[in-house]
Amino acid sequence: MSYKKVLTIQDISCVGQCSLTVALPVISACGIETCVLPSAVLSTHTAGFTGYTFRDLTEDMPAIKDHWVKEGIAFDAIYTGYLGSTKQIDYVSDIFDAVGKEGALKIVDPAMADNGKLYYGFDDAFVQAMKKLCAKADYLVPNITEACFLTDSEYKTEYDKAYVDALLEKLSALGSKNIILTGVSYREGKTGVVVFEDGEYKYYEHDKHSKGCHGTGDIYASAFVGAIVRGKSAYDAAKIAADYVLACIISTQEEDNHWYGAKFETSLGKLIEMVNS
């Protein structure tokens, strides 16, 4: 197995089991050197905590990139998560071109919306900028809400296969080569992912737990990145990530005090086994 180097660009919430505090250990557990570019530093994530600190690192990003270029540092894959502004999206687009090795994989999680709404502080200008970044992605990993905003489609909580297929077709028209659409549920008690790879659609379904956890999207995307960089197909990587997230949710279900995230650490052994199989 060749030793790969991945760069992940997103914020770091010091407490809360999301963003970089998930991406770094999860991708590393897959046997991959994981480098980070923090877009911001927060004392905690913003879902449920109050009075958190926030330091914007937007203007540090170009200088970091320039230093890497000077040192000849390049990456086999670049994975983006939550980005806080259109300026950060522009910087990341430049980073894709500047420090990706020839043939480097670009994985974009357009972390900007859920449950039919954009995250606080985002607007249509941000969505339009994200569309341009998604066009550069070898693998795009949106949820249903994000797919709707990216394709100017109506958000629905009840839908059929035709609705999902239309979303995937529109996402593909943005320029994304492969798409992994998460949170797709066709029947009660079940959810899953639809994978569009090499012109083919495949669906992987698994149990849905009513008690969700904050940060599972970050866990999913990070596990997918680890598996795809290790050479798995998009479908196999999507399945591994889904099974891993489900294990993380199950391990967290009975602990009422652990409301701020999912206990992903206790299931890392399962992820390592699946990636190595």
Side-chain angles (χ1 to χ4, degrees):
M1 180 189 78
S2 61
Y3 188 62
K4 302 289 188 179
K5 181 186 294 184
V6 169
L7 169 65
T8 179
I9 310 170
Q10 50 190 304
D11 70 284
I12 181 165
S13 295
C14 300
V15 173
Q17 294 176 306
C18 65
S19 57
L20 282 182
T21 59
V22 164
L24 179 56
V26 168
I27 300 172
S28 297
C30 294
I32 299 162
E33 180 180 352
T34 309
C35 306
V36 302
L37 176 48
S39 57
V41 179
L42 295 84
S43 54
T44 67
H45 64 61
T46 60
F49 292 105
T50 58
Y52 49 83
T53 67
F54 174 87
R55 183 172 295 275
D56 185 3
L57 300 179
T58 300
E59 298 309 323
D60 292 280
M61 296 170 73
I64 292 171
K65 180 264 297 181
D66 289 343
H67 183 228
W68 288 341
V69 171
K70 179 182 177 182
E71 294 293 332
I73 296 170
F75 303 95
D76 298 288
I78 303 174
Y79 151 48
T80 71
Y82 181 92
L83 301 172
S85 66
T86 57
K87 180 177 281 190
Q88 287 192 356
I89 292 174
D90 290 340
Y91 285 160
V92 167
S93 182
D94 181 49
I95 289 167
F96 275 171
D97 298 331
V99 296
K101 293 181 180 178
E102 184 177 355
L105 295 179
K106 296 178 285 291
I107 304 102
V108 174
D109 175 5
M112 62 181 183
D114 204 0
N115 298 315
K117 297 179 181 180
L118 288 171
Y119 293 153
Y120 176 79
F122 291 165
D123 55 15
D124 184 63
F126 185 89
V127 174
Q128 298 308 313
M130 184 58 74
K131 287 181 182 180
K132 295 178 182 178
L133 188 66
C134 292
K136 290 190 168 186
D138 295 296
Y139 296 94
L140 179 63
V141 192
N143 60 34
I144 292 280
T145 299
E146 290 156 351
C148 289
F149 276 106
L150 289 169
T151 61
D152 304 307
S153 301
E154 179 186 1
Y155 173 74
K156 297 181 179 180
T157 56
E158 295 183 5
Y159 46 79
D160 56 14
K161 185 176 182 296
Y163 173 79
V164 172
D165 287 350
L167 285 179
L168 289 167
E169 184 176 342
K170 293 176 183 177
L171 287 170
S172 181
L174 290 176
S176 305
K177 298 178 180 64
N178 304 282
I179 301 158
I180 294 83
L181 183 61
T182 65
V184 179
S185 177
Y186 292 125
R187 55 185 178 138
E188 188 175 353
K190 299 288 184 179
T191 190
V193 293
V194 179
V195 178
F196 177 71
E197 180 183 27
D198 298 329
E200 294 187 5
Y201 300 87
K202 295 180 181 179
Y203 180 57
Y204 179 64
E205 184 182 68
H206 56 83
D207 290 339
K208 180 179 181 179
H209 284 258
S210 57
K211 184 179 177 182
C213 299
H214 181 80
T216 50
D218 297 339
I219 296 171
Y220 183 91
S222 299
F224 175 83
V225 169
I228 203 77
V229 173
R230 283 291 305 273
K232 301 293 185 181
S233 69
Y235 179 80
D236 287 342
K239 181 180 182 297
I240 286 170
D243 289 343
Y244 174 56
V245 169
L246 183 59
C248 296
I249 292 173
I250 291 172
S251 72
T252 315
Q253 288 290 296
E254 302 304 321
E255 191 167 337
D256 293 335
N257 290 332
H258 202 94
W259 55 267
Y260 53 84
K263 294 162 63 177
F264 71 90
E265 302 91 345
T266 60
S267 297
L268 279 173
K270 295 179 180 178
L271 174 63
I272 293 168
E273 289 178 4
M274 289 187 287
V275 169
N276 286 329
S277 65

